[in-house]
C-alpha cells in the first residue's frame, strides 16, 4: 500500500505543478511566453532544425555528385575569381543543343600544380591538397578534359594519364590541328601528342600567363563527348 500511496502522491504533485504552470503562463504577456519558451523548450526546436539542415545538405551533395554529366572540365593553375568566370563553353552548349539541366558541363577550378615541387611546395597544405584532389579526380575518371600549363601536363603524362591524340582523333581532325599539338617526350625519347595548345582561344587564354594546353584523360568515362568537345574547340580555333 505504501508504494501505491507514493505513486499516487507523485501523480498528484505533478498535476498540481502542471496546473500552477498553466496559471502562471496564462498571466504572462506574449513576450514573456516567448522568453519562457526559449529558456525551457528551445532545444525541442533547435535539434530538429539542425537535423533537417544536415539531412538536406547531405541529399543535395549526394545528388550533385551522382548527377550525370556531359563533361567535367578541370582548370589547373588558372587565375580567376570564380568558376563563373569560365564561359567559353557556352557556345559549345548552344551549338550542340546540350541539355545542361539534365546533364550539365561541370567546371573544376581552384587547383594548382607548382612549376617546381621544392621543399616549400611539398609542405604547403593547400598545394598538396590541390594536387591530391586532382590526382584522385583524374584516376577515378571523374575529369574528362584538363586545361593546364606545360609543366603540369608533363608531370601527369609521365604516368600515362592523358590520351595520345593521334590515336584518339580522326586523321583529318588531327592533321587540321597538328601545328598546335603539344608533345611529351617519354623516357625512350618518343614524342607523344598529348595536348593541344589553345592560346588562340581568348576564353581560355585569359586565365593563363603562358600557353594553356588542353588534354583528355585516359580514365575518362565520357570519351565520345570529349572527342566532340575537342573537335568543336579545333573548329573554333581555325574559324578565328
Amino acid at each position: 500500500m505504501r508504494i501505491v500511496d507514493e505513486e499516487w502522491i507523485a501523480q498528484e504533485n505533478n498535476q498540481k505543478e502542471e496546473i500552477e504552470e498553466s496559471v502562471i503562463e496564462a498571466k504572462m504577456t506574449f513576450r514573456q511566453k516567448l522568453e519562457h519558451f526559449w529558456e525551457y523548450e528551445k532545444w525541442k526546436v533547435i535539434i530538429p532544425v539542425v537535423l533537417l539542415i544536415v539531412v538536406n545538405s547531405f541529399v543535395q551533395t549526394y545528388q550533385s555528385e551522382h548527377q550525370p554529366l556531359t563533361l567535367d572540365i578541370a582548370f589547373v593553375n588558372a587565375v580567376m575569381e570564380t568558376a563563373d568566370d569560365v564561359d567559353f563553353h557556352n557556345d559549345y552548349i548552344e551549338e550542340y543543343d546540350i541539355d545542361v539541366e539534365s546533364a550539365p558541363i561541370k567546371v573544376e577550378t581552384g587547383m594548382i600544380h607548382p612549376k617546381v615541387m621544392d621543399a616549400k611546395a611539398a609542405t604547403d597544405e593547400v598545394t598538396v591538397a590541390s594536387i591530391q584532389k586532382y590526382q584522385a579526380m583524374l584516376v577515378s575518371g571523374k575529369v574528362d578534359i584538363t586545361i593546364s600549363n606545360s609543366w603540369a601536363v608533363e608531370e601527369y603524362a609521365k604516368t600515362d594519364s592523358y590520351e595520345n591524340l593521334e590515336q584518339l582523333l580522326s586523321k583529318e581532325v588531327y592533321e587540321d590541328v597538328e601545328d598546335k599539338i603539344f608533345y611529351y617526350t617519354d623516357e625512350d625519347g618518343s614524342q607523344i601528342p598529348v595536348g593541344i595548345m589553345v592560346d588562340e582561344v581568348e576564353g581560355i587564354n585569359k586565365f593563363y600567363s603562358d600557353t594553356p594546353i588542353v588534354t583528355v584523360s585516359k580514365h575518362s568515362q565520357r570519351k565520345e563527348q570529349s572527342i566532340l568537345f575537342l573537335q568543336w574547340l579545333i573548329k573554333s580555333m581555325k574559324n578565328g
Side-chain angles (χ1 to χ4, degrees):
M1 289 293 295
R2 185 176 179 184
I3 295 174
V4 174
D5 290 342
E6 288 179 352
E7 290 180 351
W8 181 82
I9 291 171
Q11 291 177 358
E12 284 291 307
N13 289 336
N14 288 336
Q15 290 177 356
K16 286 181 181 180
E17 289 177 2
E18 290 176 0
I19 293 171
E20 289 174 358
E21 288 180 3
S22 299
V23 172
I24 293 172
E25 289 182 7
K27 294 180 180 180
M28 288 181 178
T29 64
F30 180 70
R31 179 176 179 180
Q32 288 173 328
K33 288 180 179 179
L34 285 177
E35 291 175 347
H36 180 269
F37 174 82
W38 188 250
E39 181 69 24
Y40 298 101
E41 309 289 341
K42 60 185 176 183
W43 293 111
K44 292 181 180 179
V45 174
I46 292 175
I47 292 176
V49 169
V50 170
L51 287 174
L52 184 62
I53 292 172
V54 170
V55 170
N56 185 58
S57 175
F58 174 79
V59 170
Q60 289 184 345
T61 301
Y62 180 86
Q63 290 177 338
S64 175
E65 290 297 322
H66 292 79
Q67 182 180 20
L69 299 177
T70 295
L71 274 178
D72 192 302
I73 303 174
F75 278 79
V76 178
N77 293 333
V79 179
M80 64 180 71
E81 294 293 329
T82 68
D84 293 334
D85 293 338
V86 180
D87 58 5
F88 78 96
H89 58 303
N90 288 338
D91 291 336
Y92 172 70
I93 294 171
E94 183 177 348
E95 183 171 336
Y96 290 95
D97 194 25
I98 297 171
D99 183 5
V100 291
E101 290 297 325
S102 59
I105 292 179
K106 190 173 183 180
V107 177
E108 313 276 1
T109 61
M111 289 175 287
I112 55 176
H113 192 103
K115 190 171 186 177
V116 179
M117 196 62 183
D118 54 14
K120 182 179 179 181
T123 56
D124 183 83
E125 293 182 1
V126 174
T127 300
V128 173
S130 177
I131 292 173
Q132 290 176 342
K133 177 183 177 182
Y134 176 67
Q135 287 176 337
M137 291 193 301
L138 193 63
V139 172
S140 66
K142 182 179 179 181
V143 168
D144 306 300
I145 302 290
T146 299
I147 303 172
S148 57
N149 313 100
S150 59
W151 63 84
V153 173
E154 289 175 347
E155 187 64 32
Y156 291 101
K158 291 177 183 177
T159 56
D160 197 28
S161 296
Y162 300 134
E163 286 282 359
N164 180 323
L165 297 183
E166 190 172 14
Q167 298 173 359
L168 183 70
L169 300 174
S170 68
K171 182 179 180 181
E172 181 182 355
V173 173
Y174 181 80
E175 290 178 349
D176 200 33
V177 75
E178 200 164 8
D179 61 327
K180 285 292 183 178
I181 292 295
F182 178 84
Y183 295 90
Y184 163 69
T185 305
D186 65 13
E187 295 179 351
D188 298 326
S190 300
Q191 288 194 317
I192 305 170
V194 296
I196 300 173
M197 296 179 284
V198 290
D199 52 320
E200 295 177 9
V201 181
E202 181 55 30
I204 297 176
N205 193 50
K206 64 182 179 180
F207 300 123
Y208 293 88
S209 58
D210 51 2
T211 302
I213 299 165
V214 174
T215 57
V216 177
S217 169
K218 265 200 172 178
H219 308 288
S220 169
Q221 299 172 17
R222 294 172 283 265
K223 288 289 173 62
E224 290 185 5
Q225 281 290 350
S226 298
I227 292 171
L228 188 64
F229 180 79
L230 284 188
Q231 290 175 343
W232 170 80
L233 197 58
I234 292 168
K235 184 174 67 174
S236 300
M237 292 167 59
K238 293 303 178 181
N239 293 338

